[in-house]
């Protein structure tokens, strides 16, 4: 084939698909990946095959390749139609209603469909798609020559700042096909072109795969799969091509359409291309056949390698990337390497499924970029750019390796990471709401969400608008300030979501005051990347960062709580799929934490128990694992053996956890005995005075006042306390201020307050292992009863009004007399008691005149009238209420009983911790009346003292004893967490 025709076709395609794209300085617009799909033929075997799997795999692999060309024959039917439909699906999904407006040369169209047939092909209107048609060349011979020509062209994998040219990667994809297709495969392999065969598509593709697996059944398989009659010449020619293919089978990749996931094609293509390039004979063929390698480069290649060697153990120039790159330098500077790697940002890395990702998965610039940095020993200095792109593209394999090599993400890159992964690219932040993570974060705190998702985009738009007029130093400083605010905004959203106050010490405050001049050179911590992975919902990356961090138990619990809250936020906006995904991610972290607790308890039970009260700071949240789990209703963590062992130690105050030895310790260890929460609990209920007890609160929580108040009111027993206090205050008011005689109302309210206090006494049984779950069941059933009453009150009120309207149609004095005589009580009386089968037909038929004060015409409005519809409505109401409503509440009670019974131990342990945590700090009544002023004084001294020194003394005085014990074992406990986490989750 004429070389001029091949070059003309190459230039024609290059200009046609990039006519509206600004070319680089040297005019290079080569693709970063080329797929040549072959196999068009007239099938004589009516065999269907999974075309949808092939179409999905082809497009996903093309999207992963960066700037990708798909070459095909452009025929009307057969395989060409399948390829055309696949590309049309890509257009519809990618561009939606804008597909017709986005031409083939549109810069947003990263996958180009090229009709290589060399002639116009008529298509139906429904099949029209955007593609580029060549004007020269037709047939398998031309396509083969053009494929070889493409493989000899150069592409800048990184950027134009540096002469780093590599051969254009090309893969021949085979579906169906005939004998000509097999000949095409054989000749392509002779030219060292990688071939991917779609197993399961039938005909020639399956014949090649079957021959590579079993050569003895060729004659039978050939006749069955191709459906033609062979003569001796044709069969021998077929056998010759298959033998040639068998010799180069290492260059053949196989994709099973029946078994493989469509996302795996990217891996297979990348592995096959790298395998072809790795063979030494391939490198020689590139040199001999003139792939534009300058003579001085050939002669000085090994000398350059020798020049860059550091010691005898360093194999410089041995990697595939080093040998394929055309270099005009010996030892590039770090600045040049940064310019090279900046080319990554020009690509469009689609999010890959890390489950199917391998080091050689498309796009290949990750593979070659890592090799280049490894060869130049600049992996730590220049790796952050590669790490940034690996995080954005969800390439977990490269993230693990780069973090192992000590590569850290630069703080200045954090805004770009959030903007391209968490921010919604097509939704406007202020003008339009959406259902993405950006909008969910906006509902938490708009100002912080704007910094996280919108500020970087606005800054980049201003930068593009001003062009080069803006000072580069000013841009760097502005990005540095933004990166700090983005990191603070992320942690601020975290605390706002969980309703925690920011924890800061004087030492931390000094760090905040320090200048941030070189923020662009500062590295992010692994916790910053972990928090990004949580907001972006990248499960595997979140696990990788979590395993490399500190305080694994508390950090994992915080991650679980954040994800659960985000799940609820997503559910509130009816984003159910995202909500379920976030909830599953939350459960993953909770399971990991429980797994760590199990393993640590088996390894070192004492330190595992102590760790539950080990306080740490995670994203400004200061807490201990047990306290945090309790505050966020993590029942499994609170009910765990480690937690319960620590709770028992606190409950008995380090005394024997048995009643008789515990009572005996009153003589041996009186201080521990009388300060034990169990002793205070018993004494508190022995005197049966709990007044003012609930005004005290455990001082360990660092949540906001609103959250603590909400949590306080969430406790059922605190609600009973408040009700009894409110009734007591009302009774005192009625008794001494209202001065009603003979004090009937005051006496009733006093009695009601005493009744509520008796009900409050039930808490004494909550710590009992048998009676405790029963009380929890009663409490949960009360919630069901309240829901039932909420429905029943509307039904009762509606029916009662109907009764009253028709029995007493002329009654007007609804609110006469005292509140006891209001007519509303009569309206509610009959339908309410009918719920309990009190029919009262003698009152509903209008014949009972016992309530009439007079039968004169003037007072006839106070006497009932007969109305047959009242009894009819009563019959329907009795049927509805007794058969439906009452049975409904019974069914609700049954469900609640089974649910609580199934988790009775877990719920009881959680409620027990509530009591123990309360009485660890509470002073029994009425002794608390003596100590309450002292505690109030200590509280004011701690929070209102104008001297920070006094405040610091107060804090140290409160925690001094606990800190001394923890400091001895703190380093060991941190190490134990890390070792246990890595053993349980061996992901590194």
């Amino acid at each position: 084939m004429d070389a001029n025709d091949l070059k003309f076709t190459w230039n024609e395609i290059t200009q046609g698909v990039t006519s509206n794209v600004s070319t680089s300085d040297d005019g290079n617009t080569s693709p970063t990946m080329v797929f040549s799909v072959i196999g068009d033929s007239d099938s004589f075997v009516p065999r269907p095959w999974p075309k949808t799997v092939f179409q999905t795999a082809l497009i996903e692999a093309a999207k992963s390749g960066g700037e990708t060309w798909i070459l095909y024959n452009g025929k009307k039917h057969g395989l060409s139609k399948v390829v055309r439909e696949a590309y049309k699906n890509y257009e519809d999904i990618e561009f939606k209603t804008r597909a017709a407006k986005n031409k083939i040369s549109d810069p947003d169209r990263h996958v180009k469909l090229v009709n290589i047939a060399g002639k116009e092909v008529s298509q139906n209107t429904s099949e029209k798609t955007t593609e580029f048609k060549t004007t020269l060349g037709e047939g398998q011979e031309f396509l083969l020559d053009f494929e070889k020509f493409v493989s000899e062209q150069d592409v800048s994998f990184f950027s134009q700042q540096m002469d780093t040219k590599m051969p254009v990667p090309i893969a021949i994809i085979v579906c169906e096909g005939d004998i000509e297709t097999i000949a095409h495969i054989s000749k392509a392999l002779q030219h060292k072109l990688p071939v991917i065969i779609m197993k399961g598509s039938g005909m020639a593709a399956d014949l090649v795969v079957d021959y590579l697996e079993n050569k003895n059944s060729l004659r039978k398989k050939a006749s069955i799969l191709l459906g033609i009659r062979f003569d001796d010449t044709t069969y021998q020619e077929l056998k010759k091509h298959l033998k040639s293919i068998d010799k180069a089978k290492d260059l053949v990749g196989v994709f099973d359409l029946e078994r493989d996931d469509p996302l795996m094609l990217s891996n297979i293509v990348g592995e096959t291309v790298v395998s072809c390039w790795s063979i030494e004979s391939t490198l020689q063929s590139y040199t001999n056949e003139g792939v534009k390698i300058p003579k001085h480069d050939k002669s000085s290649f090994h000398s350059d390698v020798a020049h860059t060697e550091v010691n005898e153990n360093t194999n410089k120039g041995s990697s595939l990337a080093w040998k394929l790159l055309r270099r005009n330098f010996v030892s590039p500077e770090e600045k040049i390497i940064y310019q090279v790697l900046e080319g990554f940002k020009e690509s469009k890395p689609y999010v890959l499924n890390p489950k199917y990702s391998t080091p050689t998965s498309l796009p290949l610039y990750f593979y070659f970029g890592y090799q280049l940095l490894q060869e130049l020993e600049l992996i730590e200095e220049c790796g952050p750019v590669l790490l940034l792109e690996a995080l954005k593209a969800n390439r977990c394999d490269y993230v693990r390796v780069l973090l192992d090599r000590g590569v850290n993400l630069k703080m200045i890159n954090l805004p770009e990471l959030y903007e391209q992964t968490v921010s919604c690219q097509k939704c406007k932040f202020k003008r339009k709401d959406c259902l993405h993570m950006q909008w969910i974060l906006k509902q938490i705190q708009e100002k912080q969400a704007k910094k996280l998702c919108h500020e970087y985009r606005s800054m980049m738009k201003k930068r593009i608008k001003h062009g080069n007029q803006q000072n580069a130093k000013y841009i760097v400083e502005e990005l540095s300030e933004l990166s700090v605010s983005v990191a603070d905004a992320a942690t601020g959203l975290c605390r706002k979501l969980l309703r925690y106050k920011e924890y800061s010490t004087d030492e931390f405050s000094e760090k905040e005051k320090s200048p941030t001049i070189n923020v662009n050179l500062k590295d992010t911590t692994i916790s910053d990347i972990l928090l990004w992975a949580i907001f972006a919902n990248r499960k595997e990356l979140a696990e990788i960062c979590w395993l490399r961090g500190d305080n694994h138990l508390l950090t994992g619990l915080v991650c679980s709580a954040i994800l659960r809250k985000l799940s609820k936020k997503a559910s509130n906006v009816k984003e159910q799929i995202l909500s379920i995904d976030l909830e599953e991610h939350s459960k993953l972290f909770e399971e990991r934490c429980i797994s760590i607790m199990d393993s640590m308890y088996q390894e070192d039970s004492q330190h595992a128990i102590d760790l539950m009260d080990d306080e740490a700071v995670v994203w400004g949240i200061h807490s201990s694992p047990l306290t945090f789990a309790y505050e966020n209703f993590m029942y499994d963590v609170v009910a765990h053996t480690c937690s319960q062992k620590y709770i028992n130690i606190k409950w008995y105050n380090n005394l024997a956890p048995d009643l008789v030895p515990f009572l005996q310790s009153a003589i041996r260890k009186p201080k521990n005995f009388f300060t034990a929460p169990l002793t205070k609990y018993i004494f508190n209920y022995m005197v049966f005075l709990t007044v003012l007890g609930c005004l005290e609160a455990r001082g360990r929580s660092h949540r906001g006042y609103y959250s603590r108040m909400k949590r306080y009111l969430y406790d059922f027993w605190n609600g009973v306390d408040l009700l009894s206090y409110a009734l007591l205050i009302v009774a005192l008011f009625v008794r001494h201020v209202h001065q009603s005689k003979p004090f009937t109302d005051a006496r009733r309210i006093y009695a009601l307050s005493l009744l509520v206090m008796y009900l409050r006494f039930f808490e004494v049984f909550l710590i009992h292992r048998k009676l405790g779950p029963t009380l929890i069941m009663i409490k949960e059933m009360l919630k069901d009863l309240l829901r039932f009453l909420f429905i029943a009150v509307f039904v009762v009120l509606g029916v009662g009004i109907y009764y009253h309207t028709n029995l007493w149609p002329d009654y007007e004095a609804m609110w006469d007399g005292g509140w006891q005589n209001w007519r509303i009580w009569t309206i509610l009386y009959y339908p309410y008691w009918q719920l309990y089968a009190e029919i009262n037909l003698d009152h509903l038929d209008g014949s009972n005149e016992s309530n009439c004060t007079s039968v004169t015409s003037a007072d006839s409005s106070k006497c009932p009238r007969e109305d047959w519809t009242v009894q009819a409505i009563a019959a329907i109401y009795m049927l509805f209420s007794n058969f439906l409503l009452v049975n409904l509440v019974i069914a609700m009670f049954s469900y609640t009983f089974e649910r609580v019974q199934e988790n009775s131990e877990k719920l009881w342990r959680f409620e027990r911790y509530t009591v123990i945590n309360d009485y660890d700090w509470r002073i029994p009544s009425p002794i608390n009346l003596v100590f309450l002023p002292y505690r109030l004084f200590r509280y004011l001294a701690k929070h209102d003292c104008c001297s920070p020194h006094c405040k610091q003394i107060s804090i140290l005085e409160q925690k001094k004893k606990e800190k001394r014990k923890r400091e001895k074992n703190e380093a060991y406990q941190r190490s134990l967490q890390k070792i246990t986490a890595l053993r349980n989750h061996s992901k590194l």
Side-chain angles (χ1 to χ4, degrees), residues 126-180:
S126 60
E127 296 180 347
K128 281 188 176 179
T129 186
T130 306
E131 65 177 38
F132 180 81
K133 299 180 178 64
T134 60
T135 56
L136 294 178
E138 185 179 358
Q140 295 285 339
E141 190 68 27
F142 176 81
L143 180 59
L144 179 64
D145 291 337
F146 187 70
E147 290 167 350
K148 182 176 179 297
F149 181 84
V150 170
S151 69
E152 296 171 351
Q153 304 309 302
D154 293 334
V155 59
S156 295
F157 257 81
F158 308 113
S159 81
Q160 303 299 329
Q161 301 290 337
M162 182 179 176
D163 194 11
T164 51
K165 303 294 184 180
M166 300 184 70
V168 174
I170 182 171
I172 300 172
I173 298 179
V174 182
C175 278
E176 295 184 323
D178 49 18
I179 296 179
E180 289 186 6

Side-chain angles (χ1 to χ4, degrees), residues 557-684:
L557 294 176
V558 174
C559 291
S560 177
I562 293 172
L563 289 164
R564 186 185 302 170
K565 289 285 187 179
L566 289 174
S567 174
K568 291 180 180 179
K569 293 286 185 181
S571 179
N572 291 340
V573 296
K574 306 302 181 290
E575 191 67 11
Q576 299 300 330
I577 300 299
L578 178 60
S579 175
I580 293 172
D581 197 26
L582 290 168
E583 180 67 25
E584 290 176 353
H585 197 180
S586 172
K587 291 178 180 178
L588 272 177
F589 266 105
E590 188 171 353
E591 290 170 1
R592 290 165 187 161
C593 293
I594 293 173
S595 176
I596 288 179
M597 294 167 69
D598 289 336
S599 300
M600 284 196 305
Y601 186 77
Q602 294 177 3
E603 184 71 27
D604 192 332
S605 59
Q606 185 57 49
H607 283 90
I609 294 168
D610 294 340
L611 182 62
M612 301 310 299
D613 194 45
D614 184 22
E615 294 186 348
V617 181
V618 178
W619 297 315
I621 297 173
H622 182 234
S623 186
S624 64
L626 182 56
T627 302
F628 186 86
Y630 171 73
E631 291 174 342
N632 291 276
F633 301 99
M634 297 180 179
Y635 292 94
D636 291 324
V637 178
V638 176
H640 193 271
T641 305
C642 292
S643 303
Q644 291 303 305
K645 287 281 188 180
Y646 173 77
I647 291 171
N648 287 332
I649 293 172
K650 181 189 288 187
W651 183 234
Y652 293 98
N653 201 16
N654 289 306
L655 298 175
D658 195 10
L659 185 60
V660 176
F662 178 76
L663 294 175
Q664 292 175 352
S665 63
I667 301 174
R668 293 183 286 105
K669 297 180 179 180
K671 183 178 180 180
N672 288 7
F673 176 80
F674 286 106
T675 57
L678 176 57
T679 306
K680 292 187 283 185
Y681 183 78
I682 295 173
F683 181 77
N684 189 77

Side-chain angles (χ1 to χ4, degrees), residues 873-885:
I873 293 298
I876 297 173
Y877 168 67
M878 291 285 290
L879 181 68
F880 174 76
S881 61
N882 285 272
F883 282 91
L884 182 61
L885 291 182

Side-chain angles (χ1 to χ4, degrees), residues 704-714 722:
Y705 292 108
Y706 171 78
S707 300
R708 280 186 278 177
M709 182 60 67
K710 183 179 178 182
R711 180 58 185 265
Y712 177 82
L713 296 175
Y714 180 84
L722 292 176

